[in-house]
Amino acid sequence: MTQSPRQISIPRGTHDILGPQAPLWEKLEASARRVLTCYGYSEIRTPIYEDVALFKRSLGDTSDVVNKQLLELKTSNEDEGLALRPEGTAAVVRSYIENNNDKKEPLSKMFYIGPMFRGERPQKGRLRQFHQIGVEAIGPQAASPLLDAEVLALAMHLLTECGVKTPKLLLNTLGSIEDKQHVSVFLRDAFNQRRDLLCEDCRQRFERNVFRVLDCKKPPCKAVVAEVLGNQGLPLSAESMAYFDKVKASLTDLNIPFTIAPHLVRGLDYYTHTVFEITSEGLGSQDAVGAGGRYSGLLHQLGADPKTEFSAIGFAVGVERILLASGQTEGIVKGLDAYMVVMDHVFSARAFNLIQQLRLAGISADMSYNGASMKSQLSRANKLSARFALILGEDEMKSEKIAVKDMTASTQEIIDQNNLVNYIATRLKK
Ligand code: HAM
């Protein structure tokens, strides 16, 4: 007996988006596009893989995303290190620099929608292939607290429009690049004195990137952080605090509620000044539905003209987490406009010609090509949620007519075949 070949399954941490789920994604993406364009952002599509050095240099060698989660590609050329993109910011900045955007406009406002890849341990709300909707505002004129407020307002508007009922905005500032350097020395010194109290992970983190300790959820580390910082934020310069005050004032002016999270630092290295996370109930331990911040140093780090001063800010929201947070699990059934039912297979050529006329007029139509029984064709029309069943029998063939059955009202009319497109279009108000 020959063995049947092994069935191949979908890789762990990935999902098929199929059936009624696909129209739900389509609707969500359409709503997102509407909101994003209202704020003046235009779409950018970058490759789904990039030079691995791009991610290492931007996200930081010590970040979990680079250290543990990069999905690198095997290519025949071993010198060519490529990786699937774990996020969108690095590639957008790479493209901005490569295309000399700064010579073309003072501020580039871009958005992207697409899959990202991280080799994480899969769990609820945490996938290996997930989808982000992200925005990046980059340019020599991007250093304005009003732009921070715009990006935050946009993130909240977008999530609400996509059905997230109670998004909660957590906000902090990391200060300027110089502040970050001073704070890093201050924290390293303070944690060094309390080194034995930190968990094993933090003892390592603290050597490589001291800010990570602030992120640790373990009670002993939280206690150390509380002792070092109290309820205060990081010790920053007056200038950075004044900038942050302006961001907060703009949000208050727009009636956007926020909570200051003085220990929020984020897991990617490139952030400076404003950082934020947006959480939602019902997501379990992975409760961040979106996150972002300002990243002014990244442009020069990736090779932008050193003579130009740049700033940038952006965020990304996770589509799977939006769907979880908004409870949209059912999907959307997209019905067909018309389904052709042929009473005898010999009428199929005529029926096929008629549905093509409907399709060319933008009316969705379908039929069976294999001579199924009338009962099974009608049940197929029902299954596809067809608005009309078009019935072609011997009488109709002879008289060049067709029976149109309204599947919702259960009424039927006989019309001329050459008036079919007009008739259906009028009934559908197309
Ligand atoms: P991030 O916090 O790594 O930031 O990801 C943003 C959002 O993507 C998260 O809040 C979450 O909704 C979703 N997400 C991340 N990882 C996963 C996963 N494994 N499974 C499902 N969803 C996930 C960034 O990616 C930055 N690039 C955001 C940014 C843009 N900062 C400035 N500009």
mmCIF file of all heavy atoms in Angstrom, residues 383-411:
data_model
loop_
_atom_site.group_PDB
_atom_site.id
_atom_site.type_symbol
_atom_site.label_atom_id
_atom_site.label_comp_id
_atom_site.label_asym_id
_atom_site.label_seq_id
_atom_site.Cartn_x
_atom_site.Cartn_y
_atom_site.Cartn_z
ATOM 1 N N LYS A 383 -26.728 29.810 -0.342
ATOM 2 C CA LYS A 383 -25.460 29.722 0.395
ATOM 3 C C LYS A 383 -24.585 30.949 0.117
ATOM 4 O O LYS A 383 -23.912 31.469 1.001
ATOM 5 C CB LYS A 383 -24.751 28.443 -0.075
ATOM 6 C CG LYS A 383 -23.457 28.119 0.572
ATOM 7 C CD LYS A 383 -23.665 27.124 1.717
ATOM 8 C CE LYS A 383 -22.496 27.071 2.673
ATOM 9 N NZ LYS A 383 -21.407 26.269 2.167
ATOM 10 N N LEU A 384 -24.652 31.429 -1.123
ATOM 11 C CA LEU A 384 -23.835 32.590 -1.499
ATOM 12 C C LEU A 384 -24.539 33.907 -1.172
ATOM 13 O O LEU A 384 -24.085 34.977 -1.553
ATOM 14 C CB LEU A 384 -23.494 32.527 -2.997
ATOM 15 C CG LEU A 384 -22.623 31.341 -3.428
ATOM 16 C CD1 LEU A 384 -22.509 31.264 -4.943
ATOM 17 C CD2 LEU A 384 -21.229 31.448 -2.814
ATOM 18 N N SER A 385 -25.669 33.804 -0.458
ATOM 19 C CA SER A 385 -26.480 34.981 -0.108
ATOM 20 C C SER A 385 -26.774 35.834 -1.332
ATOM 21 O O SER A 385 -26.643 37.067 -1.292
ATOM 22 C CB SER A 385 -25.794 35.833 0.951
ATOM 23 O OG SER A 385 -25.459 35.064 2.055
ATOM 24 N N ALA A 386 -27.154 35.174 -2.434
ATOM 25 C CA ALA A 386 -27.456 35.925 -3.663
ATOM 26 C C ALA A 386 -28.747 36.722 -3.480
ATOM 27 O O ALA A 386 -29.718 36.230 -2.924
ATOM 28 C CB ALA A 386 -27.598 34.960 -4.833
ATOM 29 N N ARG A 387 -28.736 37.951 -3.963
ATOM 30 C CA ARG A 387 -29.941 38.792 -3.866
ATOM 31 C C ARG A 387 -30.983 38.299 -4.870
ATOM 32 O O ARG A 387 -32.176 38.220 -4.565
ATOM 33 C CB ARG A 387 -29.527 40.242 -4.146
ATOM 34 C CG ARG A 387 -30.612 41.256 -4.205
ATOM 35 C CD ARG A 387 -31.270 41.462 -2.825
ATOM 36 N NE ARG A 387 -32.657 41.858 -2.975
ATOM 37 C CZ ARG A 387 -33.078 43.044 -3.360
ATOM 38 N NH1 ARG A 387 -32.195 43.983 -3.639
ATOM 39 N NH2 ARG A 387 -34.374 43.311 -3.480
ATOM 40 N N PHE A 388 -30.531 37.944 -6.074
ATOM 41 C CA PHE A 388 -31.459 37.462 -7.098
ATOM 42 C C PHE A 388 -31.018 36.094 -7.627
ATOM 43 O O PHE A 388 -29.825 35.859 -7.816
ATOM 44 C CB PHE A 388 -31.504 38.423 -8.298
ATOM 45 C CG PHE A 388 -32.007 39.786 -7.950
ATOM 46 C CD1 PHE A 388 -31.129 40.865 -7.837
ATOM 47 C CD2 PHE A 388 -33.361 40.013 -7.729
ATOM 48 C CE1 PHE A 388 -31.584 42.131 -7.512
ATOM 49 C CE2 PHE A 388 -33.828 41.281 -7.390
ATOM 50 C CZ PHE A 388 -32.937 42.335 -7.285
ATOM 51 N N ALA A 389 -31.997 35.207 -7.868
ATOM 52 C CA ALA A 389 -31.712 33.981 -8.627
ATOM 53 C C ALA A 389 -32.280 34.214 -10.020
ATOM 54 O O ALA A 389 -33.427 34.666 -10.178
ATOM 55 C CB ALA A 389 -32.370 32.793 -7.966
ATOM 56 N N LEU A 390 -31.478 33.965 -11.056
ATOM 57 C CA LEU A 390 -31.916 34.185 -12.438
ATOM 58 C C LEU A 390 -32.190 32.802 -13.029
ATOM 59 O O LEU A 390 -31.266 31.976 -13.094
ATOM 60 C CB LEU A 390 -30.820 34.886 -13.242
ATOM 61 C CG LEU A 390 -30.200 36.115 -12.556
ATOM 62 C CD1 LEU A 390 -29.047 36.652 -13.386
ATOM 63 C CD2 LEU A 390 -31.253 37.195 -12.344
ATOM 64 N N ILE A 391 -33.433 32.564 -13.385
ATOM 65 C CA ILE A 391 -33.766 31.191 -13.781
ATOM 66 C C ILE A 391 -33.999 31.119 -15.298
ATOM 67 O O ILE A 391 -34.834 31.842 -15.860
ATOM 68 C CB ILE A 391 -34.995 30.695 -12.998
ATOM 69 C CG1 ILE A 391 -34.654 30.772 -11.494
ATOM 70 C CG2 ILE A 391 -35.363 29.257 -13.372
ATOM 71 C CD1 ILE A 391 -35.838 30.755 -10.588
ATOM 72 N N LEU A 392 -33.225 30.240 -15.922
ATOM 73 C CA LEU A 392 -33.266 30.101 -17.377
ATOM 74 C C LEU A 392 -33.759 28.690 -17.716
ATOM 75 O O LEU A 392 -33.040 27.715 -17.533
ATOM 76 C CB LEU A 392 -31.849 30.329 -17.920
ATOM 77 C CG LEU A 392 -31.701 30.640 -19.400
ATOM 78 C CD1 LEU A 392 -32.468 31.897 -19.796
ATOM 79 C CD2 LEU A 392 -30.213 30.819 -19.727
ATOM 80 N N GLY A 393 -35.043 28.613 -18.170
ATOM 81 C CA GLY A 393 -35.619 27.313 -18.553
ATOM 82 C C GLY A 393 -35.941 27.311 -20.041
ATOM 83 O O GLY A 393 -35.586 28.249 -20.777
ATOM 84 N N GLU A 394 -36.620 26.272 -20.448
ATOM 85 C CA GLU A 394 -36.900 26.106 -21.886
ATOM 86 C C GLU A 394 -37.765 27.247 -22.420
ATOM 87 O O GLU A 394 -37.479 27.839 -23.470
ATOM 88 C CB GLU A 394 -37.587 24.763 -22.105
ATOM 89 C CG GLU A 394 -37.510 24.342 -23.548
ATOM 90 C CD GLU A 394 -37.923 22.891 -23.750
ATOM 91 O OE1 GLU A 394 -38.171 22.183 -22.750
ATOM 92 O OE2 GLU A 394 -38.003 22.498 -24.911
ATOM 93 N N ASP A 395 -38.835 27.592 -21.664
ATOM 94 C CA ASP A 395 -39.738 28.674 -22.109
ATOM 95 C C ASP A 395 -38.970 29.972 -22.276
ATOM 96 O O ASP A 395 -39.124 30.698 -23.258
ATOM 97 C CB ASP A 395 -40.862 28.905 -21.081
ATOM 98 C CG ASP A 395 -41.823 27.723 -21.068
ATOM 99 O OD1 ASP A 395 -41.719 26.880 -21.988
ATOM 100 O OD2 ASP A 395 -42.642 27.658 -20.135
ATOM 101 N N GLU A 396 -38.125 30.271 -21.265
ATOM 102 C CA GLU A 396 -37.354 31.517 -21.303
ATOM 103 C C GLU A 396 -36.391 31.523 -22.493
ATOM 104 O O GLU A 396 -36.213 32.556 -23.151
ATOM 105 C CB GLU A 396 -36.551 31.699 -20.004
ATOM 106 C CG GLU A 396 -37.378 32.064 -18.783
ATOM 107 C CD GLU A 396 -38.005 30.852 -18.119
ATOM 108 O OE1 GLU A 396 -37.634 29.715 -18.485
ATOM 109 O OE2 GLU A 396 -38.889 31.042 -17.265
ATOM 110 N N MET A 397 -35.793 30.363 -22.770
ATOM 111 C CA MET A 397 -34.860 30.280 -23.903
ATOM 112 C C MET A 397 -35.589 30.617 -25.202
ATOM 113 O O MET A 397 -35.093 31.377 -26.037
ATOM 114 C CB MET A 397 -34.238 28.880 -23.987
ATOM 115 C CG MET A 397 -33.050 28.659 -23.068
ATOM 116 S SD MET A 397 -31.687 29.793 -23.339
ATOM 117 C CE MET A 397 -30.898 29.060 -24.769
ATOM 118 N N LYS A 398 -36.800 30.036 -25.339
ATOM 119 C CA LYS A 398 -37.561 30.244 -26.588
ATOM 120 C C LYS A 398 -37.985 31.700 -26.722
ATOM 121 O O LYS A 398 -37.907 32.296 -27.793
ATOM 122 C CB LYS A 398 -38.808 29.344 -26.574
ATOM 123 C CG LYS A 398 -38.484 27.925 -27.007
ATOM 124 C CD LYS A 398 -39.782 27.168 -27.283
ATOM 125 C CE LYS A 398 -39.514 25.674 -27.316
ATOM 126 N NZ LYS A 398 -40.517 24.907 -26.566
ATOM 127 N N SER A 399 -38.462 32.285 -25.630
ATOM 128 C CA SER A 399 -39.021 33.645 -25.712
ATOM 129 C C SER A 399 -37.978 34.732 -25.448
ATOM 130 O O SER A 399 -38.324 35.913 -25.339
ATOM 131 C CB SER A 399 -40.171 33.778 -24.718
ATOM 132 O OG SER A 399 -39.670 33.470 -23.430
ATOM 133 N N GLU A 400 -36.706 34.328 -25.279
ATOM 134 C CA GLU A 400 -35.610 35.257 -24.956
ATOM 135 C C GLU A 400 -35.919 36.086 -23.709
ATOM 136 O O GLU A 400 -35.661 37.289 -23.632
ATOM 137 C CB GLU A 400 -35.281 36.154 -26.153
ATOM 138 C CG GLU A 400 -34.691 35.339 -27.276
ATOM 139 C CD GLU A 400 -34.075 36.179 -28.383
ATOM 140 O OE1 GLU A 400 -33.897 37.385 -28.186
ATOM 141 O OE2 GLU A 400 -33.782 35.601 -29.429
ATOM 142 N N LYS A 401 -36.508 35.387 -22.729
ATOM 143 C CA LYS A 401 -36.811 36.037 -21.433
ATOM 144 C C LYS A 401 -36.008 35.339 -20.352
ATOM 145 O O LYS A 401 -35.324 34.333 -20.604
ATOM 146 C CB LYS A 401 -38.305 35.916 -21.129
ATOM 147 C CG LYS A 401 -39.190 36.489 -22.213
ATOM 148 C CD LYS A 401 -40.189 37.426 -21.626
ATOM 149 C CE LYS A 401 -41.049 38.027 -22.719
ATOM 150 N NZ LYS A 401 -41.007 39.448 -22.738
ATOM 151 N N ILE A 402 -36.143 35.837 -19.136
ATOM 152 C CA ILE A 402 -35.498 35.180 -17.993
ATOM 153 C C ILE A 402 -36.325 35.471 -16.733
ATOM 154 O O ILE A 402 -36.884 36.564 -16.589
ATOM 155 C CB ILE A 402 -34.019 35.630 -17.843
ATOM 156 C CG1 ILE A 402 -33.308 34.772 -16.790
ATOM 157 C CG2 ILE A 402 -33.871 37.109 -17.526
ATOM 158 C CD1 ILE A 402 -31.796 34.761 -16.920
ATOM 159 N N ALA A 403 -36.417 34.488 -15.854
ATOM 160 C CA ALA A 403 -37.158 34.692 -14.595
ATOM 161 C C ALA A 403 -36.186 35.220 -13.547
ATOM 162 O O ALA A 403 -35.096 34.680 -13.366
ATOM 163 C CB ALA A 403 -37.760 33.373 -14.130
ATOM 164 N N VAL A 404 -36.590 36.312 -12.900
ATOM 165 C CA VAL A 404 -35.735 36.903 -11.863
ATOM 166 C C VAL A 404 -36.429 36.744 -10.516
ATOM 167 O O VAL A 404 -37.500 37.305 -10.287
ATOM 168 C CB VAL A 404 -35.482 38.404 -12.149
ATOM 169 C CG1 VAL A 404 -34.613 39.015 -11.054
ATOM 170 C CG2 VAL A 404 -34.823 38.586 -13.512
ATOM 171 N N LYS A 405 -35.828 35.946 -9.656
ATOM 172 C CA LYS A 405 -36.438 35.698 -8.349
ATOM 173 C C LYS A 405 -35.707 36.524 -7.299
ATOM 174 O O LYS A 405 -34.480 36.426 -7.152
ATOM 175 C CB LYS A 405 -36.312 34.206 -8.020
ATOM 176 C CG LYS A 405 -36.965 33.836 -6.718
ATOM 177 C CD LYS A 405 -37.010 32.341 -6.520
ATOM 178 C CE LYS A 405 -37.674 32.114 -5.163
ATOM 179 N NZ LYS A 405 -37.606 30.797 -4.691
ATOM 180 N N ASP A 406 -36.482 37.379 -6.626
ATOM 181 C CA ASP A 406 -35.913 38.179 -5.541
ATOM 182 C C ASP A 406 -35.830 37.273 -4.311
ATOM 183 O O ASP A 406 -36.850 36.885 -3.750
ATOM 184 C CB ASP A 406 -36.824 39.385 -5.279
ATOM 185 C CG ASP A 406 -36.222 40.314 -4.245
ATOM 186 O OD1 ASP A 406 -35.537 39.820 -3.332
ATOM 187 O OD2 ASP A 406 -36.434 41.539 -4.358
ATOM 188 N N MET A 407 -34.622 36.937 -3.894
ATOM 189 C CA MET A 407 -34.455 35.934 -2.833
ATOM 190 C C MET A 407 -34.833 36.473 -1.449
ATOM 191 O O MET A 407 -35.096 35.684 -0.550
ATOM 192 C CB MET A 407 -32.995 35.451 -2.788
ATOM 193 C CG MET A 407 -32.506 34.838 -4.083
ATOM 194 S SD MET A 407 -33.272 33.260 -4.444
ATOM 195 C CE MET A 407 -32.202 32.160 -3.513
ATOM 196 N N THR A 408 -34.870 37.803 -1.289
ATOM 197 C CA THR A 408 -35.256 38.304 0.037
ATOM 198 C C THR A 408 -36.778 38.452 0.117
ATOM 199 O O THR A 408 -37.385 38.091 1.111
ATOM 200 C CB THR A 408 -34.580 39.652 0.373
ATOM 201 O OG1 THR A 408 -34.525 40.450 -0.819
ATOM 202 C CG2 THR A 408 -33.181 39.469 0.874
ATOM 203 N N ALA A 409 -37.410 38.959 -0.974
ATOM 204 C CA ALA A 409 -38.866 39.166 -0.935
ATOM 205 C C ALA A 409 -39.631 37.930 -1.419
ATOM 206 O O ALA A 409 -40.856 37.875 -1.304
ATOM 207 C CB ALA A 409 -39.221 40.374 -1.807
ATOM 208 N N SER A 410 -38.918 36.947 -1.961
ATOM 209 C CA SER A 410 -39.548 35.738 -2.526
ATOM 210 C C SER A 410 -40.582 36.066 -3.601
ATOM 211 O O SER A 410 -41.637 35.426 -3.683
ATOM 212 C CB SER A 410 -40.192 34.885 -1.433
ATOM 213 O OG SER A 410 -39.208 34.214 -0.732
ATOM 214 N N THR A 411 -40.328 37.092 -4.405
ATOM 215 C CA THR A 411 -41.206 37.430 -5.529
ATOM 216 C C THR A 411 -40.444 37.104 -6.814
ATOM 217 O O THR A 411 -39.224 36.984 -6.792
ATOM 218 C CB THR A 411 -41.548 38.932 -5.523
ATOM 219 O OG1 THR A 411 -40.314 39.649 -5.439
ATOM 220 C CG2 THR A 411 -42.432 39.311 -4.350
#
